[in-house]
Amino acid sequence: MPQRGNRRELLADAAIEVLARDGGRGLTHRAIDREAEVPEGTTKNYYPTRSAVFLAVARYLAAQHTEALRSLRSQVPADVTGEDIAALYAAMLRRMSTSARSQFLALFELHLEAVRNPEVREALGDITEANVDTAVQLQTAVGRRMSRRGAGLLDAGMLGVALSMLSLPDDLVEELGFDDPDGLARALLSLASVRDEPAISVLRDHAS
């Protein structure tokens, strides 16, 4: 039998797949048991309520995401360029609609749950903070300045664009250019740049 920690990860991964496929309404103990191929009642034994399941998935995704970004920030090469960063964000957009599709759709369902669940909201806050910290550090590494406000705008833009890529009709996605991750990444990075903030904010930040 798997160790308890491994069993929790198994259930969390199964819950992510259920959320991605069936949405929040489909996230039941039985659905997770079936997806994880464990005896009926296993999920309920670990997480007695649906609220507990949502929180467990949120914390699991937050832990994975923050650790991945912590590793990324510790390995930024000295010769990194602005084009490298744009390519990184473009790759993130591609992953959200391909290899990481399930995780992204589960994350979106968690955002809906967070409107009503403060504990889930806190876990999602950890993800956003990690994204903001990473964006600021990457821009600093190439001699550019991005405020935390701008980095937050970048994060929100990435989420919104990825959702549009997945949820809009294909012809509209093509018409609006949402099928161009490279162009979208550059546009979002430009939008989030400090030069787009009010001049008074820039002056105040420089003076502090």
Side-chain angles (χ1 to χ4, degrees), residues 194-206:
V194 71
R195 66 176 178 272
D196 291 325
E197 294 189 352
I200 187 65
S201 296
V202 176
L203 291 173
R204 184 178 60 244
D205 290 345
H206 277 299

Side-chain angles (χ1 to χ4, degrees), residues 2-3 8 15 22 36 39 42 74 86-87 92 97 116 120 141 144 150 168 172 185 194-196 205-206:
Q3 296 178 358
R8 288 185 182 278
D22 303 326
T42 299
S74 70
M92 290 179 186
S97 59
R116 299 170 294 274
V120 171
R144 299 175 182 171
L168 293 179
L172 186 58
V194 71
R195 66 176 178 272
D196 291 325
D205 290 345
H206 277 299

Side-chain angles (χ1 to χ4, degrees), residues 3 5 21 24 37 54 56 73 88-89 91 93 96 101 124 134 139 146 161-162 168 176 178 181 197-198:
Q3 296 178 358
R21 183 181 63 243
E37 299 182 347
F54 273 110
R73 292 196 301 271
L88 172 64
Y89 278 92
L93 285 174
M96 287 180 182
R101 184 176 185 275
L124 296 187
T134 300
Q139 292 299 305
M146 179 178 286
V161 165
L168 293 179
L176 298 178
F178 288 158
E197 294 189 352

Side-chain angles (χ1 to χ4, degrees), residues 28-105:
T28 66
H29 292 98
R30 289 184 178 180
I32 298 170
D33 287 341
R34 288 194 296 269
E35 182 68 30
E37 299 182 347
V38 295
E40 185 173 320
T42 299
T43 302
K44 197 171 186 64
N45 181 52
Y46 282 85
Y47 308 110
T49 65
R50 289 182 75 251
S51 180
V53 174
F54 273 110
L55 181 57
V57 175
R59 287 175 172 170
Y60 178 67
L61 283 176
Q64 286 190 320
H65 189 78
T66 55
E67 179 55 37
L69 289 188
R70 188 179 299 114
S71 177
L72 171 65
R73 292 196 301 271
S74 70
Q75 299 177 40
V76 177
D79 59 349
V80 66
T81 67
E83 283 301 311
D84 293 333
I85 293 174
L88 172 64
Y89 278 92
M92 290 179 186
L93 285 174
R94 290 190 184 91
R95 287 189 69 250
M96 287 180 182
S97 59
T98 55
S99 61
R101 184 176 185 275
S102 292
Q103 288 85 346
F104 172 71
L105 289 176

Side-chain angles (χ1 to χ4, degrees), residues 130-193:
N131 290 340
V132 167
D133 291 342
T134 300
V136 170
Q137 180 175 327
L138 289 174
Q139 292 299 305
T140 300
V142 294
R144 299 175 182 171
R145 185 172 175 279
M146 179 178 286
S147 70
R148 291 182 64 78
R149 180 181 179 183
L153 177 63
L154 172 61
D155 183 53
M158 290 283 288
L159 286 173
V161 165
L163 179 62
S164 295
M165 293 168 68
L166 287 171
S167 61
L168 293 179
D170 290 343
D171 57 345
L172 186 58
V173 167
E174 183 176 355
E175 177 189 345
L176 298 178
F178 288 158
D179 59 346
D180 177 19
D182 294 288
L184 288 167
R186 288 192 295 270
L188 289 170
L189 285 164
S190 177
L191 181 64
S193 171

